[in-house]
PDB file of all heavy atoms in Angstrom:
ATOM      1  N   ALA A1422       7.374   9.035 -42.658  1.00  0.00           N
ATOM      2  CA  ALA A1422       8.124   7.856 -42.566  1.00  0.00           C
ATOM      3  C   ALA A1422       9.608   8.008 -42.952  1.00  0.00           C
ATOM      4  O   ALA A1422      10.492   7.653 -42.269  1.00  0.00           O
ATOM      5  CB  ALA A1422       7.401   6.713 -43.327  1.00  0.00           C
ATOM      6  N   VAL A1423       9.799   8.708 -44.177  1.00  0.00           N
ATOM      7  CA  VAL A1423      11.036   8.979 -44.692  1.00  0.00           C
ATOM      8  C   VAL A1423      11.932   9.751 -43.784  1.00  0.00           C
ATOM      9  O   VAL A1423      12.970   9.490 -43.428  1.00  0.00           O
ATOM     10  CB  VAL A1423      11.003   9.596 -46.113  1.00  0.00           C
ATOM     11  CG1 VAL A1423      12.375  10.055 -46.525  1.00  0.00           C
ATOM     12  CG2 VAL A1423      10.489   8.538 -47.100  1.00  0.00           C
ATOM     13  N   GLY A1424      11.273  10.939 -43.331  1.00  0.00           N
ATOM     14  CA  GLY A1424      12.011  11.867 -42.341  1.00  0.00           C
ATOM     15  C   GLY A1424      12.440  11.023 -41.077  1.00  0.00           C
ATOM     16  O   GLY A1424      13.628  11.149 -40.562  1.00  0.00           O
ATOM     17  N   GLY A1425      11.490  10.304 -40.490  1.00  0.00           N
ATOM     18  CA  GLY A1425      11.709   9.545 -39.236  1.00  0.00           C
ATOM     19  C   GLY A1425      12.860   8.651 -39.457  1.00  0.00           C
ATOM     20  O   GLY A1425      13.772   8.549 -38.587  1.00  0.00           O
ATOM     21  N   LEU A1426      12.762   7.805 -40.507  1.00  0.00           N
ATOM     22  CA  LEU A1426      13.781   6.784 -40.779  1.00  0.00           C
ATOM     23  C   LEU A1426      15.059   7.468 -40.970  1.00  0.00           C
ATOM     24  O   LEU A1426      16.040   6.917 -40.445  1.00  0.00           O
ATOM     25  CB  LEU A1426      13.407   5.990 -42.074  1.00  0.00           C
ATOM     26  CG  LEU A1426      13.911   4.576 -42.137  1.00  0.00           C
ATOM     27  CD1 LEU A1426      13.283   3.867 -41.014  1.00  0.00           C
ATOM     28  CD2 LEU A1426      13.526   3.959 -43.379  1.00  0.00           C
ATOM     29  N   ALA A1427      15.056   8.498 -41.668  1.00  0.00           N
ATOM     30  CA  ALA A1427      16.506   9.267 -41.921  1.00  0.00           C
ATOM     31  C   ALA A1427      17.031   9.655 -40.700  1.00  0.00           C
ATOM     32  O   ALA A1427      18.219   9.603 -40.382  1.00  0.00           O
ATOM     33  CB  ALA A1427      16.149  10.426 -42.823  1.00  0.00           C
ATOM     34  N   PHE A1428      16.255  10.136 -39.675  1.00  0.00           N
ATOM     35  CA  PHE A1428      16.713  10.561 -38.423  1.00  0.00           C
ATOM     36  C   PHE A1428      17.181   9.432 -37.654  1.00  0.00           C
ATOM     37  O   PHE A1428      18.444   9.401 -37.128  1.00  0.00           O
ATOM     38  CB  PHE A1428      15.742  11.367 -37.652  1.00  0.00           C
ATOM     39  CG  PHE A1428      16.309  11.970 -36.386  1.00  0.00           C
ATOM     40  CD1 PHE A1428      17.167  13.078 -36.327  1.00  0.00           C
ATOM     41  CD2 PHE A1428      16.068  11.300 -35.153  1.00  0.00           C
ATOM     42  CE1 PHE A1428      17.649  13.492 -35.143  1.00  0.00           C
ATOM     43  CE2 PHE A1428      16.647  11.795 -33.961  1.00  0.00           C
ATOM     44  CZ  PHE A1428      17.394  12.880 -33.920  1.00  0.00           C
ATOM     45  N   VAL A1429      16.405   8.360 -37.425  1.00  0.00           N
ATOM     46  CA  VAL A1429      16.705   7.221 -36.551  1.00  0.00           C
ATOM     47  C   VAL A1429      17.984   6.564 -37.068  1.00  0.00           C
ATOM     48  O   VAL A1429      18.683   6.048 -36.286  1.00  0.00           O
ATOM     49  CB  VAL A1429      15.508   6.425 -36.491  1.00  0.00           C
ATOM     50  CG1 VAL A1429      15.858   4.947 -35.915  1.00  0.00           C
ATOM     51  CG2 VAL A1429      14.446   6.955 -35.807  1.00  0.00           C
ATOM     52  N   LEU A1430      18.169   6.428 -38.350  1.00  0.00           N
ATOM     53  CA  LEU A1430      19.400   5.794 -38.918  1.00  0.00           C
ATOM     54  C   LEU A1430      20.479   6.695 -39.199  1.00  0.00           C
ATOM     55  O   LEU A1430      21.710   6.409 -38.863  1.00  0.00           O
ATOM     56  CB  LEU A1430      19.061   5.156 -40.286  1.00  0.00           C
ATOM     57  CG  LEU A1430      18.056   3.982 -40.188  1.00  0.00           C
ATOM     58  CD1 LEU A1430      17.789   3.401 -41.606  1.00  0.00           C
ATOM     59  CD2 LEU A1430      18.539   2.989 -39.255  1.00  0.00           C
ATOM     60  N   GLY A1431      20.274   7.910 -39.572  1.00  0.00           N
ATOM     61  CA  GLY A1431      21.336   8.807 -39.987  1.00  0.00           C
ATOM     62  C   GLY A1431      22.206   9.285 -38.736  1.00  0.00           C
ATOM     63  O   GLY A1431      23.367   9.412 -38.776  1.00  0.00           O
ATOM     64  N   TYR A1432      21.543   9.568 -37.606  1.00  0.00           N
ATOM     65  CA  TYR A1432      22.142  10.013 -36.439  1.00  0.00           C
ATOM     66  C   TYR A1432      23.211   9.053 -35.905  1.00  0.00           C
ATOM     67  O   TYR A1432      24.366   9.359 -35.697  1.00  0.00           O
ATOM     68  CB  TYR A1432      21.146  10.542 -35.395  1.00  0.00           C
ATOM     69  CG  TYR A1432      21.704  11.233 -34.160  1.00  0.00           C
ATOM     70  CD1 TYR A1432      22.799  12.044 -34.262  1.00  0.00           C
ATOM     71  CD2 TYR A1432      21.112  11.118 -32.979  1.00  0.00           C
ATOM     72  CE1 TYR A1432      23.252  12.754 -33.188  1.00  0.00           C
ATOM     73  CE2 TYR A1432      21.584  11.846 -31.795  1.00  0.00           C
ATOM     74  CZ  TYR A1432      22.667  12.604 -31.989  1.00  0.00           C
ATOM     75  OH  TYR A1432      23.166  13.238 -30.892  1.00  0.00           O
ATOM     76  N   PRO A1433      22.726   7.772 -35.680  1.00  0.00           N
ATOM     77  CA  PRO A1433      23.670   6.714 -35.252  1.00  0.00           C
ATOM     78  C   PRO A1433      24.825   6.541 -36.284  1.00  0.00           C
ATOM     79  O   PRO A1433      26.004   6.317 -35.909  1.00  0.00           O
ATOM     80  CB  PRO A1433      22.895   5.576 -35.045  1.00  0.00           C
ATOM     81  CG  PRO A1433      21.516   5.839 -35.377  1.00  0.00           C
ATOM     82  CD  PRO A1433      21.302   7.258 -35.699  1.00  0.00           C
TER      83      PRO A1433
END
Side-chain angles (χ1 to χ4, degrees):
Chain A
V1423 167
L1426 206 63
F1428 183 79
V1429 169
L1430 294 180
Y1432 189 32

